[in-house]
Amino acid sequence: MQERKDASFSYKFPDGDRRLAFSRQPSFRQWEPHLSSPSPSSSTNPLMHRSHSFKPYLARSDSTVSVPFLEKSEKKDSTWIVLMLAAVRGVANGSRPMKRLALMISLNVAYSMIELLIGLFTGRVGLVSDAFHLTFGCGILTFSLFAMGVSRRKPDETYTYGYKRLEVLSAFTNSLFLLFLSFSLAVEALHAFMQDESEHKHYLIVSAVTNLLVNLLGVWFFRSYARVNIVYWKPEDMNYHSVCLHVLADSIRSAGLILASWLLTLGVENAEVLCLGIVSVTVFMLVLPLFKATGSILLQIAPSNIHPSAFNKCSRQIAALEEVFEVQARFWELVPGYCIGSVSVQVKNGVNEERILQHVNGLYNDLGIQDLTVQIDYR
Amino acid sequence: MQMERKNSPASASPSQVINIDIDPDADPPTSPPITNPSPTGDSKACRGGTCDLSYTKDSHERYASMRKLIIAVVLCVIFMTVEVIGGIKANSLAILTDAAHLLSDVAAFMISLFSLWAAGWEATPRQSYGFFRIEILGALVSIQMIWLLAGILVYEAIVRLIHDNGEVKGFLMFAVSAFGLVVNIVMAVLLGHDHGHGHGHGHGHEHGHGHSHEHRHSHGHEHGHGHGHEHRHGHGHEHGHSHSDEHGHTHGHEHEHGHGHDHDHGQGHDANTVTTYFHHNHHHDKDVKEPLIKNGNKKSKRNINVHSAYLHVLGDSIQSIGVMIGGAIIWYKPEWKILDLICTLIFSVIVLFTTIKMLRNILEVLMESTPREIDATQLEKGLCTMDGVVAVHELHIWAITVGKVLLACHVTIAPDADADVILDQVIGYIKRDFNISHVTIQIERQ
């Protein structure tokens, strides 16, 4: 399992190597990929760079506050506008997944516009509702794209940890949307069950097929993430995973609609209810792990890839030092793969803090936690 | 994770005596059980890691908010059943759709209730910072639902436009949405007002009815402690008059109000109360002149979840008005259908604007960014000017939820300085001037 060396690590999973996603790699290697990934962009995010050599404290000597501003002004609004423009520029010279996502979004937008117009002019409600649904989905995907573009910015004064969290946020939003989708499909199934009106399915076939094709294209783009349970090594993983699940869920829904109308022509009763119900349950099960994972990062739950017993062991090892009275440690994940901790150690008066700092840092560095703040209280 | 040391006044500057920090040892017996029992009671670190991260002081406020929400839910359910029965009897889709909207209201309230309840859970080793983030996530989910519902309403308007075969009765639309509007206004009043059913809070804020203004306060401050908080007012509403909040704490940071408050330590907000609004003639008399000091200067602040439920109800009432106007138009002149759609679109956009401020707050918290009310540059400068301190780096300030701020930084000191004294000074300075009480400082020697 140790063959996962730096060289093979690009921003995409190597296609054939499925071992990686299912195994729990020892996390002390976690930070290496950040070093060597071609991290396709100009930004050399200082957050994600760690030197190989052992350094007891964080090596940065600049205050984060003194990083020169990238934006012209402080105000929030113009910052976001500047960010949007930067994102547009960023897509043009962005990473491959970004370009693919942008392509997909534009396809979807074009398609939904056409559908909306046709639906409006011919008065078919089904097309309009489908168009709306697509538009919502496109909006969410655009937010994902935006997150991909923005997250490469360097940390600045207000965002001292950088913008990588945005990817996790967009993954969370995506999974939330998919949960809503599954609920609405369930409601639709209920609706069809009670009302028994199925005539509007016929002319939706064309739109469903087109939808399916577009979404399958998207699934193909992100095919290495087409899995339910993925171990996340990098923040972009979550985002790509969420996008993939999004298009996957959409294609499942279209496939379900096609199947339902086919079954109806075969004369199977309640086909619609059945298909919609199955699709709803499937989407729900697909999305739940992603939702939990992103939610736990946003909730600042202790990192899941480090076993709690490892934390306990470290605490005990620190407390085992004779001059230490008490240890308290809190950890949270900024993005998958980057852990931050606050440790508070109570020691006897007059003890040299260097030694303790080195000890604590060494212990946690072995676990892969680089960003630590250790407070030493003297009693 | 740091509490004010009991023996610190000796080393602290005189201005610290104003601080009304209350030591956790002096807590009422409702202290939470501690997860890491410490060998002695006198320590700088929080016991059990929960000190200020626990909600002992705030549980009162939380229960108040939860009570309000529960009442709102019950009311909603009652109205919903009324509408459903009426809709089935009259066999009208419009009424049933409105009942579905009320159902979505109930869902939003449930989310808020759950967030409020979950935020009070004790911190676990896995969730070492407590569960306060759940509030933020719950608010995010609520707001997403608002957006979703706005989209659904626009979709319905388009459907109405397409199905122009007279099955849409303008009068029925008007009546149903008027009823919905009344219901929503009742709930907005309920959620917006701090009726203080004998809570003994010293709040005296008042709101106008309807949607003429809003102000949001952060919840979750322990009133005995000096915590950071933020006040943000209004979304798109005029807030020339919107609040008489009270602050009982010393603040070293700026608030983002457009209105002056005087921050006296706990006396009267008499100066503030004169800014109450005569034009809205409801008046929460009782609490305004109450002696606030006795309650430890509790702030009247809106919990973010109650506020998001309020926003939901507000959005619904705005949309009800839009639907009413549309229904009136269709009733009056059925051929002006397009106006209905335009109206709905406009009102949906208005609703979305009301949510933007809150969304921005949520985003800032979730991105672990420096909260707005804290001036990081000033803090760093202040730290650097302390004697013994050579440099400050790795300064991170972030908020767990809207009111609770944490700080972590590395301070490099001169090789001969006394680490303990400097640590005390730094922590004291940060607590005093910026009201951040969860501080982790790593002292390094040059």
Side-chain angles (χ1 to χ4, degrees), chain B residues 249-288:
Chain B
H249 308 277
T250 58
H251 316 298
H253 46 270
E254 63 263 25
H255 301 273
E256 213 180 293
H257 325 282
H259 327 269
H261 295 291
D262 41 334
H263 311 306
D264 327 310
H265 308 294
Q267 301 107 0
H269 292 273
D270 297 313
N272 275 344
T273 59
V274 296
T275 67
T276 57
Y277 333 119
F278 349 95
H279 60 267
H280 280 296
N281 49 352
H282 58 275
H283 190 38
H284 275 297
D285 37 71
K286 38 166 180 85
D287 306 317
V288 168

Side-chain angles (χ1 to χ4, degrees), chain A residues 218-340:
Chain A
V219 174
W220 173 253
F221 279 161
F222 289 93
R223 61 187 173 280
S224 45
Y225 291 90
R227 225 174 286 128
V228 178
N229 280 302
I230 290 189
V231 182
Y232 304 106
W233 301 118
K234 306 195 308 286
E236 294 94 44
D237 283 352
M238 276 196 163
N239 212 358
Y240 299 153
H241 188 214
S242 73
V243 167
C244 183
L245 282 186
H246 183 113
V247 284
L248 196 61
D250 249 351
S251 49
I252 291 180
R253 174 178 162 267
S254 305
L257 287 181
I258 297 176
L259 183 67
S261 56
W262 178 62
L263 284 181
L264 275 181
T265 58
L266 284 189
V268 177
E269 285 184 10
N270 285 336
E272 218 173 295
V273 179
L274 209 64
C275 286
L276 282 179
I278 292 179
V279 168
S280 154
V281 168
T282 314
V283 169
F284 186 77
M285 309 293 306
L286 273 184
V287 157
L288 210 55
L290 177 69
F291 182 69
K292 279 198 205 148
T294 51
S296 69
I297 288 192
L298 289 177
L299 283 180
Q300 299 192 307
I301 292 186
S304 47
N305 43 13
I306 301 180
H307 201 265
S309 65
F311 284 129
N312 287 342
K313 187 166 82 105
C314 281
S315 298
R316 271 189 311 222
Q317 280 184 308
I318 298 177
L321 290 182
E322 38 169 297
E323 51 262 356
V324 172
F325 289 131
E326 198 183 331
V327 180
Q328 237 183 52
R330 294 178 186 189
F331 296 96
W332 53 287
E333 261 179 311
L334 177 70
V335 284
Y338 187 75
C339 234
I340 301 175

Side-chain angles (χ1 to χ4, degrees), chain B residues 160-171 173 325-341:
Chain B
R160 270 202 300 271
L161 188 64
I162 295 179
H163 273 165
D164 48 1
N165 46 6
E167 66 180 44
V168 177
K169 297 199 176 53
F171 176 65
M173 246 174 71
I325 297 181
I329 291 178
I330 293 186
W331 179 24
Y332 180 54
K333 271 223 161 113
E335 57 268 12
W336 284 355
K337 288 257 182 84
I338 195 87
L339 269 184
D340 170 32
L341 178 63

Side-chain angles (χ1 to χ4, degrees), chain B residues 49-350:
Chain B
T50 54
C51 63
D52 283 343
L53 293 179
S54 78
Y55 242 142
T56 48
K57 299 255 180 350
D58 265 327
S59 46
H60 208 90
E61 297 258 332
R62 255 189 333 127
Y63 287 142
S65 309
M66 283 176 77
R67 206 171 318 169
K68 274 199 280 191
L69 277 177
I70 291 180
I71 294 179
V73 166
V74 165
L75 271 181
C76 237
V77 167
I78 293 179
F79 282 130
M80 198 172 70
T81 34
V82 163
E83 271 198 356
V84 164
I85 295 178
I88 293 183
K89 275 231 172 93
N91 206 8
S92 150
L93 197 59
I95 301 184
L96 284 176
T97 319
D98 209 48
H101 271 182
L102 276 183
L103 186 67
S104 75
D105 268 355
V106 171
F109 291 155
M110 287 297 181
I111 292 178
S112 295
L113 262 177
F114 172 72
S115 310
L116 271 177
W117 173 64
W121 290 340
E122 285 301 323
T124 69
R126 239 176 83 87
Q127 183 101 27
S128 42
Y129 289 101
F131 285 90
F132 299 108
R133 274 286 169 91
I134 292 191
E135 293 180 338
I136 306 276
L137 284 188
L140 185 63
V141 171
S142 266
I143 296 217
Q144 288 235 334
M145 273 182 60
I146 295 181
W147 284 56
L148 198 70
L149 288 175
I152 290 181
L153 213 67
V154 169
Y155 162 67
E156 282 177 7
I158 294 186
V159 164
R160 270 202 300 271
L161 188 64
I162 295 179
H163 273 165
D164 48 1
N165 46 6
E167 66 180 44
V168 177
K169 297 199 176 53
F171 176 65
L172 193 60
M173 246 174 71
F174 185 83
V176 167
S177 53
F179 177 66
L181 181 66
V182 165
V183 167
N184 279 321
I185 287 185
V186 165
M187 281 192 297
V189 165
L190 175 70
L191 287 178
H193 278 285
D194 219 323
H195 287 289
H197 319 276
H199 292 159
H201 292 230
H203 44 252
H205 65 254
E206 13 223 300
H207 310 260
H209 280 284
H211 33 84
S212 62
H213 56 263
E214 193 26 52
H215 53 283
R216 162 178 354 121
H217 314 262
S218 52
H219 67 123
H221 317 291
E222 287 75 353
H223 320 285
H225 310 265
H227 274 277
H229 44 266
E230 79 177 298
H231 303 274
R232 214 129 324 161
H233 303 284
H235 345 258
H237 302 291
E238 67 282 20
H239 33 276
H241 39 267
S242 33
H243 44 262
S244 46
D245 348 78
E246 37 233 47
H247 320 268
H249 308 277
T250 58
H251 316 298
H253 46 270
E254 63 263 25
H255 301 273
E256 213 180 293
H257 325 282
H259 327 269
H261 295 291
D262 41 334
H263 311 306
D264 327 310
H265 308 294
Q267 301 107 0
H269 292 273
D270 297 313
N272 275 344
T273 59
V274 296
T275 67
T276 57
Y277 333 119
F278 349 95
H279 60 267
H280 280 296
N281 49 352
H282 58 275
H283 190 38
H284 275 297
D285 37 71
K286 38 166 180 85
D287 306 317
V288 168
K289 305 288 191 293
E290 237 175 39
L292 304 154
I293 310 184
K294 78 169 194 295
N295 290 326
N297 305 307
K298 283 194 177 46
K299 251 193 276 301
S300 63
K301 37 190 191 329
R302 174 88 41 93
N303 188 313
I304 196 176
N305 286 111
V306 173
H307 187 70
S308 80
Y310 180 86
L311 272 185
H312 197 108
V313 166
L314 195 68
D316 264 357
S317 49
I318 293 180
Q319 279 166 348
S320 295
I321 293 185
V323 172
M324 264 171 66
I325 297 181
I329 291 178
I330 293 186
W331 179 24
Y332 180 54
K333 271 223 161 113
E335 57 268 12
W336 284 355
K337 288 257 182 84
I338 195 87
L339 269 184
D340 170 32
L341 178 63
I342 295 179
C343 211
T344 313
L345 276 175
I346 293 179
F347 280 92
S348 293
V349 168
I350 293 181

Side-chain angles (χ1 to χ4, degrees), chain A residues 352-377:
Chain A
N352 181 18
E353 72 261 2
E354 293 252 347
R355 202 167 65 82
I356 300 189
L357 272 179
Q358 280 196 7
H359 185 73
V360 171
N361 268 296
L363 276 177
Y364 284 114
N365 283 348
D366 282 341
L367 282 185
I369 301 173
Q370 301 289 77
D371 198 336
L372 272 186
T373 313
V374 182
Q375 176 164 328
I376 300 186
D377 301 324

Side-chain angles (χ1 to χ4, degrees), chain A residues 70-145:
Chain A
L70 303 174
E71 296 94 39
K72 293 185 272 290
S73 80
E74 295 272 350
K75 283 182 52 71
K76 220 42 174 132
D77 294 333
S78 58
T79 308
W80 284 114
I81 293 181
V82 167
L83 283 176
M84 305 246 301
L85 287 177
V88 167
R89 256 199 322 268
V91 171
N93 44 7
S95 61
R96 206 167 6 139
M98 272 179 66
K99 293 197 184 119
R100 288 174 163 182
L101 184 58
L103 175 68
M104 250 182 40
I105 291 179
S106 34
L107 271 180
N108 268 326
V109 166
Y111 174 59
S112 82
M113 282 292 123
I114 297 175
E115 220 185 356
L116 184 66
L117 289 175
I118 295 182
L120 276 180
F121 282 137
T122 60
R124 290 174 173 170
V125 177
L127 285 178
V128 172
S129 80
D130 207 36
F132 259 84
H133 175 88
L134 259 189
T135 316
F136 254 118
C138 282
I140 306 266
L141 285 180
T142 315
F143 181 56
S144 286
L145 185 67

